[in-house]
Amino acid sequence: MSTEQHTPRRARVRAPEPTGRAWLNTGGEQLRLADLRGKIVLLDFWAFCCINCLHVLDELRPLEREFAEELVTIGVHSPKFEHEADADALAAAVERYEVDHPVLDDPELATWRDYAVKAWPTLVLVDPEGYVVHEAAGEGHAEALRRIITDLVAEHDARGTLHRGSGPRVVEEKPDTTLRYPSKVLGLEGGTMLVADSARHSLVEFAADGETPLRRIGNGSRGAADGDPDAASFREPGGMTLLPEHVAAKVGYDVVVADTVNHLLRGVRLADGAVSTVAGTGRQWRDEEHTGPALSTALTSPWDVAWWERAGGVVIAMAGNHTLGLFDPLEGAVSRFGGTTVEGLRDGPLDEAFFAQTSGLAVDRGEPESEGDDRLWLVDSETSALRWVRPTSDGFEVRTAVGKGLFDFGHADGPAPEALLQHPLGVAVLPDGTVAICDTYNGAIRRYEPGSDAVSTLATEVAEPSGAITSEGELVVVAGAAHRLERPVPPGVTARLVEGASQRVARPATEIGPGEVELVVVFDPPPGQKLDERYGPSTRLEVSSSPEGMLVSGAGSGTGLSRRLVLGDGFEHGVLHVVAQAASCDDDSGVEHPACRLTRQDWGVPVRVTPDGADRLPLIMGGLDAQ
């Protein structure tokens, strides 16, 4: 029997009409797929909290330029957090991340449900006749999309169903401010402050008042050029840390900068503002070696950095793959410090812990005579968690102070186990040993007291605070959406308790049946490619759950993209953590070294166990589900 007889036929599915609250970047006009007949339409389901979604925005830019006459990209913003459902917050994010295609504001996830989406980000390709032809979850799909779009252009050009021309795009001008969506702040010797001016792709040094600019480092354009302050360039720089004087003297730079979108660490010499690249390749990490020489080891969206003597270098909040890295400037080396790349909330030994888009770091060195107080504080934005790393007799371990998981958030004070945050991006240790939290999506500054294990609120109505330092005993906060530094906690202000409510993600849970469930990850290599099985299996699947005991069997790693899961009794809700990857190469039998690519995606799938739930859970990494 032929292969075709074994392969299920895929019925052509008409793309549902996108619906939502409003459109951005269209001049106020509402778009309809019917009005875009003759164009190839790419729907990008995203949320501005999601680092993988931000990666995809950059991956799509070359495609949008290459197919400017044939392709219309529509961002469908499907919020995870309550703050993301705010229309003004979305408009700010569209400007901050330089999204220049039409965006549909879909706060109720209506279009998400119509397209049966299960992950951020998800890409859906619609042909010029209005039919869905391809779906892909996660990032790293640009080359596959380019091949599919190329084929669609040729097919519909020949049939006369392709209409070329500019797309429906209207972009508003940006207001002129000294800072534009700043992200982090660093205190320097003498009381001045260095601010990462993220949307202006540069660093700005301010006087001690936090208002008077002294100099700008970087030319303000997107790039990765080294050199003097006027020639150097960054791409959405983030956290910064000062090196100890003896280290700086040897390496020739004083400050390490997390150059987030370049996937680099940069060094800045404060004497003259000279910039150099000190770690990373400029290419995003794709599951290759994570330890090696600093300039030949790939990084992925470093969001913050902190010198921690106890760790022996600069700890890197590697938001892009949910890990902590370590950069040794003296040795010129990078290594994995903690995490497994699985996105979640799991404490324990550092190399086995789960992190979730770590976005802020701060070192508490404790009292000089009390080494046990030496710890690294961090905030995991996607689990709305405050956590810390501390040394143990045989390494390091991580513990959680505040946070419940990927889909629980809110604004509630009190005992830390019941307290709630909403996507925090920054953290700072206060002079009294308590911890200030930039509770970004709540627009608040929170305080955690380790002694009483309690959380309170120091300030509210701060526009997306994302970083903080103390200057002469006063808290200085980056108010990112207000484009300035603020001092929102006047001296002598007493923290207060906020009795907020718990919130959960509006994304609907996937209903599955009790007992056995077949997990299937769908992956079709892009046109002209095949799975790379020259050296063994080309796919890998890793499954775990929260709570950990939810899976009786089926957890762990294997090479197949399908798995029989057996659920334990007594679990009604949970999260399945799924990481899948597939290696594919150009199908050129005569080429000795064909071009190869690794596709990788991780899902955190909220599930609800019901008697009538499905016994099959398909997750599409690339292609279309045949069943």
Side-chain angles (χ1 to χ4, degrees):
M1 190 175 289
S2 71
T3 303
E4 289 184 0
Q5 290 174 294
H6 284 293
T7 303
R9 293 180 62 84
R10 290 172 176 162
R12 299 187 78 195
V13 176
R14 177 73 69 178
E17 193 66 52
T19 58
R21 177 170 57 189
W23 288 86
L24 292 81
N25 286 348
T26 66
E29 295 295 321
Q30 179 177 342
L31 299 185
R32 298 174 64 251
L33 288 182
D35 299 330
L36 298 175
R37 290 288 185 267
K39 293 285 190 181
I40 300 166
V41 177
L42 178 61
L43 301 174
D44 174 18
F45 290 85
W46 69 299
F48 66 75
C49 70
C50 163
I51 188 64
N52 309 94
C53 300
L54 302 184
H55 290 164
V56 167
L57 289 176
D58 283 311
E59 289 176 0
L60 294 182
R61 296 184 202 277
L63 278 178
E64 292 173 296
R65 290 192 295 268
E66 182 179 355
F67 297 100
E69 295 284 306
E70 302 89 4
L71 176 69
V72 173
T73 301
I74 295 176
V76 182
H77 189 263
S78 311
K80 171 182 175 180
F81 291 96
E82 180 188 33
H83 177 69
E84 292 178 293
D86 180 83
D88 291 337
L90 173 58
V94 168
E95 180 196 333
R96 176 190 293 119
Y97 299 120
E98 298 181 13
V99 182
D100 60 3
H101 51 247
V103 174
L104 173 63
D105 182 5
D106 183 25
E108 302 299 327
L109 303 186
T111 302
W112 169 289
R113 286 191 291 269
D114 287 345
Y115 279 82
V117 175
K118 289 187 172 65
W120 291 280
T122 290
L123 299 164
V124 178
L125 203 59
V126 180
D127 72 11
E129 295 179 304
Y131 291 95
V132 174
V133 293
H134 185 76
E135 182 178 336
E139 52 186 283
H141 297 289
E143 177 58 24
L145 290 171
R146 189 188 68 78
R147 293 177 181 228
I148 296 169
I149 293 170
T150 299
D151 287 352
L152 287 173
V153 168
E155 175 189 348
H156 288 273
D157 209 7
R159 291 167 53 184
T161 51
L162 181 71
H163 301 160
R164 289 184 169 86
S166 59
R169 167 182 171 270
V170 179
V171 180
E172 297 181 1
E173 293 186 6
K174 299 178 183 178
D176 185 20
T177 54
T178 302
L179 297 173
R180 204 71 193 159
Y181 298 105
S183 56
K184 301 290 183 182
V185 59
L186 174 69
L188 301 178
E189 296 291 335
T192 64
M193 305 174 195
L194 194 62
V195 177
D197 194 5
S198 177
R200 293 250 168 81
H201 314 294
S202 55
L203 312 177
V204 181
E205 185 175 0
F206 284 87
D209 61 7
E211 298 178 358
T212 306
L214 302 176
R215 61 172 168 170
R216 184 176 291 270
I217 300 174
N219 60 26
S221 62
R222 284 175 172 261
D226 290 337
D228 63 48
D230 295 330
S233 55
F234 301 86
R235 290 178 72 194
E236 298 178 29
M240 302 159 287
T241 190
L242 272 170
L243 296 177
E245 289 184 4
H246 71 280
V247 175
K250 291 182 179 179
V251 299
Y253 53 90
D254 307 279
V255 176
V256 175
V257 181
D259 194 2
T260 305
V261 179
N262 275 325
H263 311 293
L264 297 173
L265 299 185
R266 315 293 292 281
V268 175
R269 188 169 58 219
L270 292 175
D272 58 3
V275 177
S276 58
T277 299
V278 299
T281 63
R283 178 178 51 82
Q284 186 184 346
W285 178 90
R286 294 287 190 198
D287 203 43
E288 60 262 51
E289 183 58 50
H290 53 253
T291 297
L295 290 173
S296 58
T297 302
L299 310 178
T300 175
S301 293
W303 203 276
D304 201 3
V305 284
W307 173 269
W308 192 19
E309 189 72 37
R310 183 61 65 94
V314 176
V315 179
I316 312 166
M318 209 82 77
N321 65 1
H322 316 296
T323 65
L324 300 178
L326 186 65
F327 168 54
D328 185 338
L330 293 175
E331 295 294 328
V334 169
S335 60
R336 173 75 55 79
F337 185 51
T340 67
T341 77
V342 175
E343 183 181 21
L345 185 68
R346 180 178 293 179
D347 290 344
L350 194 56
D351 59 348
E352 300 174 8
F354 291 175
F355 296 94
Q357 208 169 299
T358 305
S359 301
L361 303 170
V363 173
D364 182 0
R365 295 173 177 83
E367 297 298 327
E369 67 275 6
S370 178
E371 293 186 357
D373 289 337
D374 188 14
R375 64 178 67 184
L376 175 76
W377 290 98
L378 61 93
V379 283
D380 271 355
S381 59
E382 283 296 283
T383 50
S384 298
L386 172 68
R387 310 174 75 184
W388 77 85
V389 177
R390 64 184 178 189
T392 64
S393 59
D394 57 354
F396 295 88
E397 66 176 1
V398 61
R399 290 287 180 263
T400 298
V402 183
K404 300 179 183 296
L406 282 169
F407 302 107
D408 296 275
F409 59 91
H411 187 161
D413 290 330
E418 284 77 51
L420 295 167
L421 310 170
Q422 186 181 180
H423 199 80
L425 292 179
V427 62
V429 179
L430 299 176
D432 62 0
T434 62
V435 179
I437 308 161
C438 293
D439 193 6
T440 309
Y441 285 4
N442 279 325
I445 305 300
R446 314 285 292 281
R447 183 173 69 181
Y448 172 68
E449 300 181 61
S452 62
D453 194 30
V455 176
S456 54
T457 296
L458 288 169
T460 55
E461 299 183 359
V462 184
E464 294 191 3
S466 57
I469 59 170
T470 55
S471 176
E472 297 182 350
E474 191 174 9
L475 190 66
V476 179
V477 174
V478 178
H483 318 296
R484 61 177 181 260
L485 298 180
E486 293 183 354
R487 290 173 166 81
V489 186
V493 166
T494 303
R496 63 189 189 281
L497 298 181
V498 174
E499 296 181 2
S502 174
Q503 299 166 344
R504 286 186 62 83
V505 174
R507 166 186 174 180
T510 299
E511 294 190 355
I512 57 176
E516 295 187 14
V517 175
E518 181 189 16
L519 172 67
V520 179
V521 175
V522 177
F523 177 74
D524 294 329
Q529 288 203 330
K530 63 181 179 180
L531 290 175
D532 179 19
E533 297 179 338
R534 293 172 296 167
Y535 309 108
S538 59
T539 58
R540 179 176 176 271
L541 180 65
E542 180 179 352
V543 182
S544 57
S545 67
S546 298
E548 291 185 52
M550 187 175 185
L551 289 179
V552 174
S553 67
S557 299
T559 57
L561 289 182
S562 62
R563 183 79 58 85
R564 172 180 167 270
L565 307 180
V566 179
L567 306 177
D569 295 332
F571 293 94
E572 183 179 353
H573 297 279
V575 177
L576 295 179
H577 305 278
V578 181
V579 180
Q581 63 185 45
S584 58
C585 295
D586 287 347
D587 191 6
D588 295 328
S589 56
V591 177
E592 183 178 0
H593 301 293
C596 298
R597 295 167 185 85
L598 181 73
T599 303
R600 175 188 170 97
Q601 166 63 0
D602 59 275
W603 292 266
V605 183
V607 296
R608 186 165 73 94
V609 183
T610 66
D612 298 327
D615 60 3
R616 182 176 184 269
L617 176 58
L619 299 174
I620 299 178
M621 186 163 65
L624 288 172
D625 187 16
Q627 296 187 31

